[in-house]
Amino acid sequence: MSEVAVSTRIRLARNLKQYPFVSRLSKEDRKKVVEEVREALSHSDIRLNFIDMATLTKVQKLSLAERHIISPEFVEAGEGSALLVSDDNTVAVMLNEEDHIRLQVIKEGLALKEAYETASFLDDVLSEHLELAFTERLGYLTQCPTNLGTAMRASVMLHLPALEESGALNRISTNLSKLGLIMRGLYGEGSKSYGAFAQLSNQVSLGISEQAAIENLDNVTKQLISQEIRARDKILSDIAVEDKISRSLGILKSAYVIDHSEAMRLLSNVRLGAAAKKLSTLSTESIDKLIADVQPASILLKYGEQLSPRERDIKRAELLRERLN
Amino acid sequence: MSEVAVSTRIRLARNLKQYPFVSRLSKEDRKKVVEEVREALSHSDIRLNFIDMATLTKVQKLSLAERHIISPEFVEAGEGSALLVSDDNTVAVMLNEEDHIRLQVIKEGLALKEAYETASFLDDVLSEHLELAFTERLGYLTQCPTNLGTAMRASVMLHLPALEESGALNRISTNLSKLGLIMRGLYGEGSKSYGAFAQLSNQVSLGISEQAAIENLDNVTKQLISQEIRARDKILSDIAVEDKISRSLGILKSAYVIDHSEAMRLLSNVRLGAAAKKLSTLSTESIDKLIADVQPASILLKYGEQLSPRERDIKRAELLRERLN
């Protein structure tokens, strides 16, 4: 199933009771929040590295956002904001993003329960050592009222090229809101859906338990995966699709200049081929790794932050040729 | 220079004095013309195979036209028309095309004098054994008055991707008529210029000697070749051009369906790269061979005359993958 579900993410929003929300938080209090949470999480057995956001360049922050370790909004964060992140990047805690604490757990494939377990464990550690803003009536209090309640966003990154090809994806996306779910592009709200990648998340957090929200998302995701697999079976026998997959790989192996959007579109096609075992040498895992590595800031981080957009497109092509040939 | 000049062709039109022109020729006289010319040419030391056009399928005739062995018009020829052709296809004589005799000599690269020498030799053989329609005032008489005089068409097939890329080709093409020359597409009058291939020919045959016409064409061709080479030097340092060449080869190596027009465009790009020694494994000669082999009728001839256009595009892709990988 990981051929369709790329990754699963649970994000919890928490705030400390004795401090105002981030937008009204003083400089000193921001520091105190960071220190208190850092101290609290040091009691868990998951080792987290501390990164003061003020010490990162814009490109380093953009690269973290591209790899979904921080939110796109957190790229603007500087003094008074921090990131706690595990060595394998599966656990990341943003401090003083929109809320005091935004804790996220990422797992490969569809693994909502596993991700939720880890998140819950860390949430328990937080509760044990900190006084969190919580009321019986509203649940966890958050700066933005839309997150009140469970203050949990569960999401699954899906690769749905066959449903996109058949035109079904738009219809499905529209119907999801009736199920309390929302479909977004690769980089969250308002972002484009590059290369048939889409994020499916729970939208409602008030009046529903975490377990119910996760179960709902899990069920719908499994249905979507089945639909995608059936749609793939249908289109993969078409030589036009085989042609598209093979040409996409041919172009990625031979281009000398390639922009982000084209690379994503072609890698999405190749990922479909890899999932169908049509490209003997390539796995979906290796494609997913490539997708992360060809993102704009990741290229800059690897080859030099001063590159012009054109030079970046040349380096992206170089990277793709090296890795695919 | 053969990187720019693909091939040279001399075509002579001749008619037998004692017969009416082809359009007014009776069935029996057509046969006699065929027999007389065949007999006359048997006196040369160039061995020519005899093909009765009525014995060929449409696809076989189309394939001959694609390889420039016969004219596109001669595809319609049947009973009473014939072809004499050498084993290496460099000498071909159409009998009862527009004129009784259309004799052509093809050489690789720019070789106008050599081609003319061979054509003249065969012309001498014809004159020796046949009475040709000729007057001192008008020269050789032909059915169409535009061919009167030398009744010679000399032409050079050129590959001009850099002049096309720079937009100069259109301007040049317009100016050539002032020099008594004309530029056409790959398949003669009114045909499209697939993939930057163009035929440059003499237009005037009256009031000019064969030698003068050939010298004129030779000079202009050499100028065009120099212009093309200078234009190539300029564009080949551009990574966008390198990208285009490399992607073209990548697509040709990986496509599963490819139509004629796209294959020609991509092969033209690859030929530019091969000429610039940017593609170590490929020579312009091997590309020229491929260009001949991917033409529609040649594909049908190789894989089956009953193929649908779609099946033909699939076989074309198969052939390209086999030969380029």
Side-chain angles (χ1 to χ4, degrees), chain A residues 243 246-247 254-257 262, chain B residues 243 246-247 254-257 262:
Chain A
D243 181 60
S246 181
R247 281 173 180 239
S254 57
Y256 276 79
V257 189
E262 186 187 13
Chain B
D243 182 59
S246 180
R247 280 173 182 242
S254 57
Y256 277 78
V257 189
E262 185 187 12

Side-chain angles (χ1 to χ4, degrees), chain A residues 238-240 242-243 246-251 253-259 262 266 310 314 317 321, chain B residues 238-240 242-243 246-251 253-259 262 266 310 314 317 321:
Chain A
D238 183 356
I239 196 163
E242 190 161 9
D243 181 60
S246 181
R247 281 173 180 239
S248 296
L249 182 57
I251 294 170
K253 279 177 166 180
S254 57
Y256 276 79
V257 189
I258 193 162
D259 68 21
E262 186 187 13
L266 299 176
R310 177 75 171 174
I314 291 169
R321 290 201 312 281
Chain B
D238 184 355
I239 195 161
E242 190 161 11
D243 182 59
S246 180
R247 280 173 182 242
S248 296
L249 182 56
I251 294 170
K253 279 177 167 180
S254 57
Y256 277 78
V257 189
I258 191 162
D259 68 21
E262 185 187 12
L266 298 177
R310 177 75 171 173
I314 291 169
R321 288 201 312 281

Side-chain angles (χ1 to χ4, degrees), chain B residues 123-239:
Chain B
D123 191 26
D124 290 346
V125 173
L126 289 172
S127 304
E128 223 172 286
H129 297 89
L130 299 167
E131 208 175 342
L132 299 177
F134 178 87
T135 71
E136 279 302 328
R137 203 170 59 90
L138 292 172
Y140 290 101
L141 302 182
T142 53
Q143 180 157 282
C144 179
T146 58
N147 296 322
L148 277 175
T150 62
M152 178 191 78
R153 163 133 316 161
S155 54
V156 185
M157 177 72 71
L158 297 165
H159 185 220
L160 304 170
L163 290 177
E164 197 192 43
E165 174 92 13
S166 72
L169 198 54
N170 272 334
R171 182 179 44 74
I172 290 168
S173 179
T174 311
N175 289 336
L176 284 169
S177 63
K178 296 175 196 157
L179 302 164
L181 300 175
I182 189 163
M183 195 171 264
R184 294 186 170 93
L186 197 48
Y187 293 107
E189 247 159 301
S191 75
K192 281 204 286 181
S193 169
Y194 285 112
F197 290 97
Q199 260 187 67
L200 184 65
S201 324
N202 66 318
Q203 196 173 17
V204 178
S205 67
L206 202 59
I208 184 170
S209 73
E210 282 89 343
Q211 287 76 6
I214 283 176
E215 200 148 326
N216 181 34
L217 178 59
D218 198 44
N219 287 336
V220 175
T221 300
K222 282 173 178 160
Q223 277 179 42
L224 261 181
I225 291 174
S226 304
Q227 279 183 272
E228 169 67 17
I229 287 173
R230 278 199 303 276
R232 287 188 187 188
D233 285 344
K234 220 177 267 176
I235 66 166
L236 279 167
S237 57
D238 184 355
I239 195 161

